[in-house]
Amino acid sequence: MSNTVMRIRLAGAVVAGAVSVALLAACSSPAPSGEASAASCQPAQGKVTLQYWNTVPGMDQVVALWNKKNPNIQVETKNIANDQYGTLGNALKAGKAPELAQIGYDQLPSMRTQDAFVDVSACADAVAAKSKFVPWTWSQTSFGDTGVFAFPQDTGPMALFVRKDLFEKHKIEIPKTWDEYAADAQKLRDADPDLSITFFDPNNAEFFNGLLWQNNARMYGYSGDKWQVTVDSEQSRQVADYWQKLIDAKLVRTDLAHATPPMYAAYEKNQVATYIGAAWGYSMLRDNLPDQAGKWTIVPLPTWGTSAASGDWGGSTVAFMKGNPHLYESVKFNTWLNTDPEALALENKLGGLYPAATAGLALPALSEGVPYYGNEKIFDVFAESSKNIDTSFAWGPTQKTVNLALQDAMAKAVSGSGKLTDAISAAQAAALKSMQDQAIPAAAGN
């Protein structure tokens, strides 16, 4: 996710981003000496107050529900959407990290190597929680069952959000493939010089990673006791070339940053006709573009040829942070937050979260029509998307560095001083260097 919006649940039994036990075990480092021991999971004597930092809109209301029911385990929440990982990084350095924090799946391996988490596997309830979550999400939070460092919260299967009224106005069919999407981009521009089919944000590597994921562009693998870095692949370059052509033809906006006032203003002024997003985006548009209720529909992500593959963008966990003195209470709250039907329903309603918990898949809200989208059953689209995501996709242990390199090169491509294929090669080089700098065995893969 974008760090300005919450991550969403994935309604399928397995969804993008799954990493095998072998891969996860490989990316985890030996347990730091400060991690939980069997003696550390004891209930506190008296009232406890936990800190929970996150980026989810409305989470304060979810926490208020918990606090009302649990007077002896109170939780204080802090929204850190403006600088999620910078805020957490500073807190960790200062030894003032919260007990619990929202961490994206893609950041778990790199933060693990920085000793950011505490293992709560000494808590029986934490180990028992495994059965409550979609399998691939649990594998990521436990690093191949080497411990329990976080609980899954949500996932982000991708889809295409479409201003159906604009397509109808200009008598253009909603695209089903990326070739049709590019053709529609030209048709929309021909019909209205001020209308773009979408925007491309060079500062959003997570979004671009989701597009790579859809095209089976696996960024990492693990074999021969070392990481195989395959960021620069034929599939990745196909995606980069596609978007470069749209940028060069000026058929997509490149002056809009995701989830910012200018972005919403462009949509409000009918200057952008589609939004490529994830399940959590349904509430983002609903809450920021209320006047466009009934004008949007959600359809499957355009495909590469006849392939039904989709991608995942975002998805988060609630991690147990280093220095946490209240593991027992933290496990209690984390379990409720991410598995209790009442909590999951409220998180979906207020923050758009798409649960990683299997119980969340049975939420009534996910089988009903959504008023903002003309009472269409939009979550059926996301459920289908989740079934079509490559579950073998793996994140590397230095993903943050890779994303920064990707964004730097993407910005140059947008400004005309480079190409998106340069961003792919830059990310490949950054991945290899960052791993080698940390003595993580790695080599360029095929």
Side-chain angles (χ1 to χ4, degrees):
M1 167 199 159
S2 163
N3 64 357
T4 59
V5 291
M6 62 292 150
R7 325 286 182 175
I8 307 308
R9 68 191 169 274
L10 165 48
V14 287
V15 73
V19 181
S20 68
V21 170
L23 284 174
L24 289 166
C27 74
S28 62
S29 55
S33 59
E35 289 183 351
S37 64
S40 63
C41 193
Q42 297 296 324
Q45 300 299 315
K47 184 176 179 179
V48 167
T49 298
L50 306 175
Q51 291 288 325
Y52 167 42
W53 295 2
N54 64 87
T55 69
V56 184
M59 188 56 75
D60 55 335
Q61 296 181 52
V62 180
V63 169
L65 177 62
W66 164 271
N67 287 339
K68 183 178 180 180
K69 296 182 176 183
N70 298 272
N72 290 328
I73 305 177
Q74 293 290 284
V75 178
E76 295 179 352
T77 184
K78 177 180 179 180
N79 190 294
I80 55 173
N82 288 335
D83 186 16
Q84 182 180 4
Y85 297 110
T87 301
L88 286 172
N90 290 335
L92 284 165
K93 290 177 183 177
K96 298 180 179 180
E99 281 82 6
L100 298 158
Q102 179 183 357
I103 306 292
Y105 294 105
D106 60 339
Q107 296 300 320
L108 284 173
S110 59
M111 292 192 70
R112 169 69 170 131
T113 63
Q114 299 168 38
D115 189 19
F117 310 130
V118 61
D119 179 5
V120 299
S121 58
C123 302
D125 287 348
V127 177
K130 177 179 180 178
S131 64
K132 300 178 184 292
F133 296 97
V134 172
W136 78 262
T137 62
W138 184 264
S139 294
Q140 294 211 8
T141 61
S142 66
F143 296 103
D145 288 329
T146 61
V148 180
F149 304 91
F151 283 174
Q153 183 167 69
D154 65 280
T155 57
M158 297 177 74
L160 182 67
F161 297 61
V162 179
R163 276 288 303 275
K164 58 184 178 182
D165 59 320
L166 295 179
F167 276 74
E168 291 169 357
K169 175 183 177 180
H170 299 298
K171 297 180 174 55
I172 299 173
E173 293 290 327
I174 293 176
K176 295 182 179 180
T177 69
W178 285 116
D179 283 344
E180 291 175 359
Y181 189 81
D184 283 356
Q186 186 64 61
K187 292 176 184 177
L188 287 168
R189 177 57 55 80
D190 291 343
D192 182 349
D194 295 324
L195 182 59
S196 298
I197 196 166
T198 194
F199 68 99
F200 183 90
D201 180 3
N203 294 310
N204 199 321
E206 292 88 350
F207 159 76
F208 194 70
N209 287 336
L211 297 178
L212 297 180
W213 197 334
Q214 181 201 20
N215 199 33
N216 198 32
R218 299 174 185 175
M219 302 172 75
Y220 306 92
Y222 193 84
S223 63
D225 295 327
K226 68 172 58 177
W227 283 94
Q228 306 297 320
V229 181
T230 56
V231 178
D232 191 347
S233 67
E234 180 180 349
Q235 293 89 340
S236 295
R237 286 179 171 267
Q238 181 181 11
V239 175
D241 284 335
Y242 176 87
W243 285 95
Q244 187 66 56
K245 290 177 181 177
L246 291 178
I247 292 170
D248 290 345
K250 301 187 184 304
L251 294 177
V252 297
R253 295 276 294 267
T254 57
D255 60 334
L256 301 174
H258 186 261
T260 60
M263 186 203 81
Y264 293 122
Y267 280 107
E268 189 68 38
K269 295 175 182 177
N270 303 320
Q271 295 174 345
V272 187
T274 72
Y275 168 74
I276 299 170
W280 41 262
Y282 96 91
S283 62
M284 188 180 75
L285 297 188
R286 177 198 66 190
D287 296 344
N288 290 281
L289 299 169
D291 294 340
Q292 294 183 355
K295 297 181 179 181
W296 287 91
T297 188
I298 299 178
V299 299
L301 202 64
T303 60
W304 294 100
T306 59
S307 170
S310 190
D312 182 90
W313 173 14
S316 290
T317 70
V318 177
F320 301 94
M321 303 302 289
K322 180 180 180 179
N324 186 336
H326 300 298
L327 303 187
Y328 178 87
E329 292 77 16
S330 295
V331 168
K332 290 292 186 184
F333 170 69
N334 207 345
T335 301
W336 175 86
L337 182 70
N338 291 307
T339 66
D340 182 84
E342 188 175 14
L344 295 177
L346 195 56
E347 290 161 21
N348 175 259
K349 178 181 178 180
L350 299 175
L353 293 187
Y354 195 62
T358 53
L361 307 183
L363 289 177
L366 300 186
S367 60
E368 299 174 352
V370 179
Y372 182 82
Y373 295 92
N375 289 315
E376 294 179 5
K377 295 183 177 181
I378 64 172
F379 291 108
D380 288 351
V381 178
F382 294 116
E384 186 63 25
S385 173
S386 73
K387 297 175 184 178
N388 295 317
I389 297 172
D390 178 12
T391 59
S392 66
F393 186 93
W395 296 113
T398 57
Q399 190 63 40
K400 183 176 181 179
T401 299
V402 172
N403 284 350
L404 290 174
L406 188 63
Q407 288 173 181
D408 180 64
M410 286 164 62
K412 292 178 181 177
V414 165
S415 69
S417 59
K419 297 293 183 181
L420 288 180
T421 49
D422 298 335
I424 298 298
S425 58
Q428 168 89 5
L432 287 168
K433 185 177 187 305
S434 58
M435 290 185 192
Q436 292 164 357
D437 287 348
Q438 297 181 48
I440 300 174
N446 298 318

